[in-house]
Amino acid sequence: MKEKILKSYKAWDLPTRIFHWVNFTTVLLLIFMGLMMLFKKDMGITSLEAKITLKTIHVLIGYVFVLNLAVRIGWGFVGGRYSRWMNIFPGKGYIGELSAYLGSIKAGEPKQYVGHNPLGRLAVAVIMLSLSVMAVTGLVRAGTDIYYPPFGSTFAAQIAAEGVDPATIKPYDKTGTDAEKAKALSAFKGPFGTVHIYTSYFLMFLILLHIFVVVRTEIKEGGGLVSAMITGRKALSKEPEDLNG
Ligand code: HEM
């Protein structure tokens, strides 16, 4: 039998909702472009020009993603109560809250929250850290591969041969570069690419898990989780745990 709705609560403020959907859209586009880069040969994309174009489009979408993420990180310090890092990142007393929450699920009487439940807090923390790793490694590779901001001009200056203007150095073109310095930069950028790609696989897994858990929680516990990210309001059938804490 369905439980009766007790009350509707304001959960997510507007900046948090805007962040969520801009992040959702840009991450999907970045994954799509990233997979195109990975499988370009299978798709018959072989020219250097096309390769650079794919990377450039990925980087331009990446800037929107990074800016949105940076605003959200800042908002986590000044924004609405349920969007704040201190209420999301696990801290003092977290293990106790998590085990009480898991216990309530086992007992068939899941505790309800206006903000994230303790498992959701862990998920958001891991997702945010992964997104930050993608942002940092992506920005470094945007600099080393196509000399785009914020690090591109520094990397170009690093590999420019004596007397060459770094602004004239082109992606995937050795003209004007110092062979030794270019080799050193190539060794430096390798690990950033490796972390970028493996974190993107992890993120793809997290996204699927996130969607599965949100839909499952919505069906089992109610609360209108999906529509709450659009309207900002959650409808709960019990007194929430995190209203006065
Ligand atoms: C959630 C966000 C992101 C996802 C899921 C993602 C995904 C990917 C994937 C799958 C690749 C292919 C790797 C390869 O070809 O080896 C890639 C490469 C790349 N990404 Fe991202 N990316 C993200 C964010 C960013 C950002 C923010 C930037 C920069 C502004 C960026 C810049 C690059 C660059 C320059 C490459 C080429 C590196 C290489 O060839 O190894 N990415 N990304």
Side-chain angles (χ1 to χ4, degrees):
M1 198 178 73
K2 264 202 145 168
E3 282 182 273
K4 262 210 302 221
I5 287 172
L6 192 89
K7 221 172 147 188
S8 147
Y9 299 87
K10 176 104 180 84
W12 313 124
D13 51 33
L14 187 63
T16 303
R17 284 178 276 151
I18 292 175
F19 161 77
H20 182 271
W21 295 113
V22 172
N23 189 57
F24 173 87
T25 311
T26 51
V27 169
L28 281 191
L29 290 172
L30 286 165
I31 289 176
F32 179 72
M33 295 305 301
L35 292 177
M36 270 183 90
M37 282 193 273
L38 274 180
F39 297 107
K40 56 185 178 296
K41 283 208 185 97
D42 307 286
M43 296 167 64
I45 302 171
T46 49
S47 80
L48 180 63
E49 208 174 297
K51 184 178 159 174
I52 295 173
T53 305
L54 281 183
K55 225 170 245 199
T56 308
I57 297 172
H58 183 80
V59 167
L60 294 177
I61 303 166
Y63 287 144
V64 181
F65 160 82
V66 172
L67 199 70
N68 187 50
L69 183 63
V71 171
R72 175 65 183 92
I73 291 173
W75 189 247
F77 293 100
V78 297
R81 172 173 168 193
Y82 300 108
S83 304
R84 291 201 179 208
W85 300 129
M86 62 179 191
N87 293 325
I88 293 179
F89 273 83
K92 215 172 125 232
Y94 174 74
I95 298 292
E97 283 172 42
L98 180 65
S99 60
Y101 176 62
L102 294 178
S104 75
I105 295 179
K106 258 199 193 141
E109 283 288 323
K111 288 175 183 289
Q112 295 189 343
Y113 296 80
V114 180
H116 294 289
N117 66 44
L119 260 190
R121 286 172 58 190
L122 192 63
V124 173
V126 173
I127 290 174
M128 280 295 171
L129 288 175
S130 305
L131 293 175
S132 304
V133 169
M134 292 310 291
V136 171
T137 52
L139 287 176
V140 171
R141 288 294 303 231
T144 58
D145 290 31
I146 53 173
Y147 309 116
Y148 264 50
F151 307 116
S153 52
T154 311
F155 291 134
Q158 239 172 53
I159 60 167
E162 277 293 298
V164 171
D165 176 5
T168 61
I169 292 177
K170 304 243 167 351
Y172 300 95
D173 184 345
K174 293 193 170 107
T175 315
T177 65
D178 178 300
E180 276 305 304
K181 291 176 181 169
K183 214 171 132 195
L185 183 65
S186 183
F188 166 81
K189 76 177 189 178
F192 287 93
T194 309
V195 172
H196 196 74
I197 184 75
Y198 283 107
T199 309
S200 83
Y201 293 148
F202 180 56
L203 204 56
M204 288 177 214
F205 162 75
L206 283 180
I207 291 167
L208 292 179
L209 187 69
H210 174 66
I211 294 172
F212 171 77
V213 173
V214 166
V215 171
R216 187 179 179 279
T217 310
E218 170 94 52
I219 292 168
K220 295 225 163 196
E221 298 172 25
L225 292 191
V226 181
S227 58
M229 212 24 108
I230 299 168
T231 63
R233 299 193 77 84
K234 266 191 200 174
L236 303 180
S237 56
K238 290 182 196 151
E239 196 60 32
E241 301 293 318
D242 55 347
L243 204 55
N244 300 307

